[in-house]
Amino acid sequence: MMKRKLRMGMVGGGQGAFIGAVHRIAARMDGLIDLVCGAFSSDPARSKATGESLFLPADRVYGSFEEMMEREAQLPEGERMDFVSIVTPNHLHFAPARAALERGFHVVLDKPMTFNLQEAEQLAALVQRTGLLLCLTHTYTGYPMVKEARQIVASGRLGKIRKVYVEYPQGWLSEPIEGGENKQANWRTDPGKSGIAGCMGDIGTHAFNLAEYVTGLKVVKLCAQINTVVPGRKLDDDGAVLLVFDNGATGVLMASQIAAGEENCLKIRVYGEKGGLEWKQDEANSLWLKWLHQPAQLLRTGGPELSAFARHNTRVPAGHPEGYLEAFANLYRNFALTLQARLSGETVRPEWLDFPGVEEGVRGMRFIEKVIESGKSQQKWVEF
């Protein structure tokens, strides 16, 4: 393995932003990555102030992502960034990602991948042409017990999968808080920045990604009811989707941001011929297995009987809670280990390759498009 840390640049994540700080924590957690440069805001003064607060040298803090890509590409190979982390609102994902890939930089990108499906397909073609890595931060696939759930389904222990329930209720948009000081509410409810979907693009894509990741199945058809509950809101804030998977299994996906009192209550249940499993983020260290002809079984993070994938993504002994930040960091670590191995010509382990990429990004954007299409249709069922 190579003997140096990877050098990361960042687009977005300036002062007052939420997810940029989370990305920086996640990238630092395992000591594999250093933040070396950034274009943290479309406002050059704010970008500079953010760079100063992060103790970056002034000549590595840029006023725009275009300037950053151009100048970083001109630096010697031993100094310039290895990859860029893009943590902007949805409408500002595609252009910096394309600029980075065209200049030979690998990419970590916040979800959903782009503003629309057309951009996602263009980005996928560019990744394929360049051969560069792209990690999409669908955080919840980073939890050890989510990875264990995937391995249990893949092993066949549950039998053929028949039914999938996945839900993501939040309550933070139960009132019309957009239009005020809440930047997150403002852009996430703005069609010009979020895209054609609100709730379904923001958290519905997480639920969709989790369902496909855990089961290993692909959605082939869906039927959606999409609601805008808060008066005057421009995008959906609630909805439910019936799913049909490629093995014939059926499912139900629910996402809501007007479930008053809920925080981030993500939950998935998967049922096969022989048994089922249940995981929820509120108790992320636990995975329930429920059997047809024997008592239910509780698996816990750190247990000796878990798969190599779960063990690789666990940092502390059993009984010590690991949560959202660690799951987020698992995506960065797996991406970093894969990139380090590629740069040094070494073999990439399967556990390292276990992070969401451009294929998941395209499917997420297609989910958004098809859900909104179905939601507006009288016929309802649409082919995926």
Side-chain angles (χ1 to χ4, degrees):
M1 187 62 67
M2 65 190 299
K3 302 298 183 183
R4 69 168 177 85
K5 292 185 179 182
L6 293 171
R7 296 180 293 268
M8 180 177 88
M10 179 167 277
V11 175
Q15 293 175 333
F18 154 62
I19 204 65
V22 172
H23 277 260
R24 290 192 289 268
I25 293 169
R28 286 197 306 264
M29 192 171 290
D30 294 288
L32 299 174
I33 297 166
D34 278 335
L35 178 67
V36 299
C37 65
F40 300 104
S41 173
S42 56
D43 177 354
R46 181 172 292 178
S47 182
K48 180 181 178 182
T50 302
E52 289 176 351
S53 72
L54 296 170
F55 307 105
L56 293 176
D59 63 347
R60 300 293 291 277
V61 180
Y62 303 105
S64 69
F65 76 81
E66 294 93 344
E67 179 192 12
M68 174 173 150
M69 301 303 175
E70 182 178 346
R71 286 180 52 186
E72 286 293 313
Q74 292 171 358
L75 291 174
E77 187 174 343
E79 296 179 24
R80 63 175 175 253
M81 65 180 180
D82 295 301
F83 73 95
V84 63
S85 177
I86 300 169
V87 297
T88 52
N90 302 353
H91 70 300
L92 297 174
H93 284 185
F94 176 70
R98 178 178 61 186
L101 292 166
E102 287 175 343
R103 285 170 172 79
F105 297 119
H106 305 271
V107 173
V108 174
L109 186 56
D110 208 38
K111 49 56 57 188
M113 190 162 75
T114 50
F115 186 70
N116 56 45
L117 179 60
Q118 182 181 16
E119 288 182 349
E121 290 173 336
Q122 290 181 42
L123 211 54
L126 190 54
V127 168
Q128 183 175 17
R129 178 167 63 81
T130 61
L132 296 167
L133 292 178
L134 186 147
C135 171
L136 188 71
T137 53
H138 272 297
T139 319
Y140 307 106
T141 62
Y143 280 101
M145 300 315 283
V146 169
K147 295 189 178 297
E148 184 68 12
R150 176 180 169 89
Q151 295 304 310
I152 288 170
V153 172
S155 75
R157 289 171 61 189
L158 302 183
K160 181 183 176 182
I161 300 305
R162 293 171 164 175
K163 198 74 183 181
V164 181
Y165 296 95
V166 61
E167 59 187 70
Y168 198 158
Q170 297 176 334
W172 73 290
L173 287 177
S174 292
E175 297 176 325
I177 60 174
E178 59 266 39
E181 297 299 318
N182 191 317
K183 291 176 60 177
Q184 299 301 316
N186 291 343
W187 80 256
R188 292 175 197 273
T189 58
D190 180 353
K193 295 180 178 178
S194 181
I196 61 173
C199 173
M200 280 297 166
D202 191 17
I203 60 174
T205 50
H206 274 310
F208 168 76
N209 176 257
L210 187 65
E212 290 203 334
Y213 178 80
V214 169
T215 65
L217 303 174
K218 302 294 184 187
V219 171
V220 295
K221 190 162 57 172
L222 60 79
C223 171
Q225 180 188 22
I226 302 301
N227 308 310
T228 303
V229 176
V230 173
R233 184 160 286 159
K234 296 177 181 178
L235 292 172
D236 59 286
D237 51 21
D238 174 78
V241 188
L242 300 177
L243 307 170
V244 177
F245 293 89
D246 53 2
N247 76 331
T250 58
V252 181
L253 181 155
M254 183 275 278
S256 179
Q257 291 175 316
I258 51 87
E262 293 289 357
E263 295 174 341
N264 284 278
C265 194
L266 177 62
K267 178 179 178 179
I268 185 168
R269 291 172 288 162
V270 177
Y271 299 100
E273 298 165 315
K274 303 175 184 177
L277 60 79
E278 178 179 318
W279 177 87
K280 56 181 180 178
Q281 187 178 225
D282 285 0
E283 299 177 12
N285 279 25
S286 298
L287 175 65
W288 280 100
L289 301 183
K290 301 179 180 182
W291 303 107
L292 191 60
H293 297 299
Q294 55 184 306
Q297 181 182 5
L298 176 63
L299 303 182
R300 293 280 290 166
T301 300
E305 76 282 8
L306 301 183
S307 67
F309 285 82
R311 295 197 307 271
H312 168 68
N313 290 280
T314 302
R315 293 177 173 77
V316 295
H320 295 77
E322 295 188 61
Y324 176 81
L325 292 173
E326 288 86 355
F328 215 118
N330 283 337
L331 303 188
Y332 267 96
R333 180 171 63 164
N334 290 340
F335 170 82
L337 290 171
T338 299
L339 180 52
Q340 285 181 330
R342 283 184 50 167
L343 292 174
S344 59
E346 297 182 16
T347 302
V348 180
R349 288 170 47 184
E351 295 92 335
W352 302 348
L353 288 167
D354 187 19
F355 58 85
V358 73
E359 179 184 352
E360 288 84 353
V362 172
R363 289 193 64 78
M365 294 310 303
R366 184 169 289 120
F367 169 79
I368 291 170
E369 185 174 271
K370 294 300 181 180
V371 159
I372 298 304
E373 177 186 338
S374 172
K376 293 180 177 179
S377 167
Q378 293 302 309
Q379 184 178 344
K380 305 310 288 183
W381 282 100
V382 298
E383 300 291 329
F384 197 92

